[in-house]
Amino acid sequence: MDKWNYRTAGIPDSEFIRGEIPMTKEEVRTISLSKLRLKDDSIVYDIGAGTGSLTIESALLASKGRVYAIEREAEGVDLIKSNAAKFQVSNLEVIQGSAPKALLDLPEVDRVFIGGSGGKLEEILDVIDKKLKAKGRIVINAITLNTLNSSIKKLEELAYDFEICNIAVTRTRQVGAYQMLQGLNPVYIISGEKG
């Protein structure tokens, strides 16, 4: 499969070119995308873009918009570019750098996904708050309670309406002649809207 020919999110993880960089897994990515509520012409930031799985799916869904993938690791930048070529996505720009500094020269934004913050979540949210349009949406994936707590504190301080869901995905894997269940790390998905 080279191009995703469906109108739904959920490209299988196995279809992405991967390395040692983290990737938002298919089920978590699908729910995160639904919480972003993308439009055809959305301007999107994907902060801590990793392999670019959410970047690619965002670019496919916001086909008349623009996606900015911010990734500090050179391997991640290369993977995002390789996946963009594989899925024939051209409405994205890959920026190697760390947020919040890498966000300063970007245009106003409709939707923001934060998959990684490098420990600077509160500073990133301060910058995003200035760039996010009214009724713009933020989605944060948190695998630690520290990130969850920081997200709640900062979104309350900024007076965002937000909700939190926790998902725990269990997949099957073949073990000899048997199907075994194997759990993935649970993830908190925090989604907020600017008033």
Side-chain angles (χ1 to χ4, degrees):
M1 176 187 309
D2 284 333
K3 190 170 181 191
W4 187 243
N5 292 313
Y6 306 97
R7 295 296 303 158
T8 58
I11 297 173
D13 292 347
S14 60
E15 294 300 321
F16 288 97
I17 301 165
R18 297 177 65 181
E20 298 301 315
I21 298 293
M23 181 175 85
T24 304
K25 302 296 189 290
E26 176 183 346
E27 297 85 359
V28 174
R29 186 178 346 113
T30 301
I31 294 171
S32 297
L33 285 163
S34 74
K35 298 289 185 183
L36 276 174
R37 299 180 188 155
L38 296 172
K39 298 179 181 179
D40 283 351
D41 62 350
S42 291
I43 305 300
V44 182
Y45 298 169
D46 180 359
I47 300 169
T51 60
S53 63
L54 192 126
T55 299
I56 299 303
E57 293 219 45
S58 295
L60 291 168
L61 293 168
S63 58
K64 297 175 186 169
R66 189 95 180 137
V67 178
Y68 296 89
I70 295 88
E71 174 55 46
R72 65 184 177 188
E73 301 291 337
E75 180 186 0
V77 169
D78 292 341
L79 287 168
I80 296 164
K81 290 177 181 177
S82 295
N83 281 310
K86 177 180 180 178
F87 289 99
Q88 302 170 31
V89 172
S90 60
N91 60 327
L92 70 84
E93 183 176 334
V94 183
I95 299 163
Q96 184 171 359
S98 295
K101 186 178 179 185
L103 307 173
L104 298 177
D105 294 329
L106 296 182
E108 284 189 322
V109 65
D110 301 299
R111 304 290 187 261
V112 177
F113 175 75
I114 303 175
S117 65
K120 297 181 180 178
L121 181 62
E122 293 188 23
E123 297 95 320
I124 290 168
L125 289 171
D126 279 331
V127 171
I128 288 169
D129 185 56
K130 293 177 179 76
K131 291 185 165 285
L132 190 63
K133 297 176 186 176
K135 301 294 181 189
R137 294 186 61 79
I138 297 173
V139 173
I140 304 164
N141 281 1
I143 60 170
T144 69
L145 293 176
N146 307 71
T147 302
L148 174 64
N149 290 332
S150 294
S151 300
I152 292 168
K153 178 183 168 192
K154 193 63 181 181
L155 291 173
E156 284 177 342
E157 180 186 311
L158 295 170
Y160 279 66
D161 292 325
F162 66 93
E163 63 182 15
I164 302 163
C165 71
N166 174 258
I167 63 168
V169 175
T170 303
R171 293 180 177 171
T172 57
R173 69 179 177 102
Q174 194 73 32
V175 179
Y178 298 95
Q179 293 288 326
M180 180 178 158
L181 295 172
Q182 181 174 15
L184 303 179
N185 288 332
V187 178
Y188 292 93
I189 300 175
I190 304 107
S191 53
E193 186 167 293
K194 186 175 183 177

